[in-house]
Amino acid sequence: GESVGLHLPTLSVQEGDNSIINCAYSNSASDYFIWYKQESGKGPQFIIDIRSNMDKRQGQRVTVLLNKTVKHLSLQIAATQPGDSAVYFCAENKDSGYSTLTFGKGTMLLVSP
Amino acid sequence: EAEVAQSPRYKITEKSQAVAFWCDPISGHATLYWYRQILGQGPELLVQFQDESVVDDSQLPKDRFSAERLKGVDSTLKIQPAELGDSAMYLCASSLGRGATEAFFGQGTRLTVV
């Protein structure tokens, strides 16, 4: 079946380090992949997305890499800060006309000062 | 800044009772989603609206759950009767519509069924 999943449930880093959160997907038909950040007690917040015909996209302190050969997605956060501590979800978006979002299970990022 | 509004934030109900959640999406957003999120897991889509029409409710337990978006603006999700396993966070999200990749989420309603 179709699935979007994560390799690591928890990632602990020191403040100032770079963080890499990984995600594996199995549905090659997805048009977009999106990363969301969810802080405790809040709804998910959009971070960055990447279209399936791209392999890299950069934002402010974040970079998303897409490797379609191995169906792997990663989120890199530069100079990780305590405020980055949250659960990160990758999601896929099939542009079937209705932008259906399917989420993976999430990785918790813990940043120590 | 425009937000997706949800109410209530928290709800405790006894099993077999009815419960309802309300969502007001960002103005102008045609697509509205209801997700259920169990602690420690990713959100799972329950129902998706395009304007007032349901475009995906394949994962909605229709024997007890119902959702409506009568005028294509705000939406209500109802559970009747509630079961213990329904305890979860219920998230509403909205997006501009077809082709939009960014969905905006509300704060959610934390439901506890006792």
Side-chain angles (χ1 to χ4, degrees), chain A residues 32 34 36 38 41-46 49 89 93 95 97-106, chain B residues 9 33 35 37 40-43 45 48 50 55-56 91 97-103 105-107:
Chain A
Y32 291 90
I34 309 107
Y36 280 86
Q38 187 173 27
K42 297 184 178 180
Q45 180 182 10
F46 176 94
D49 64 1
F89 294 97
N93 183 328
D95 190 16
Y98 297 113
S99 299
T100 300
L101 280 175
T102 303
F103 284 80
K105 293 184 179 180
Chain B
R9 285 294 310 276
Y33 311 82
Y35 283 88
Q37 185 176 27
Q41 298 184 18
L45 182 68
Q48 180 176 345
Q50 182 71 20
V55 296
D56 188 346
L91 292 162
R98 297 187 180 192
T101 61
E102 185 171 355
F105 283 80
Q107 298 273 51

Side-chain angles (χ1 to χ4, degrees), chain B residues 71-103:
Chain B
K71 297 182 179 179
V73 182
D74 59 339
S75 176
T76 302
L77 178 69
K78 297 179 181 177
I79 308 175
Q80 182 175 17
E83 296 180 353
L84 296 177
D86 296 331
S87 295
M89 175 77 86
Y90 290 82
L91 292 162
C92 179
S94 69
S95 70
L96 282 170
R98 297 187 180 192
T101 61
E102 185 171 355

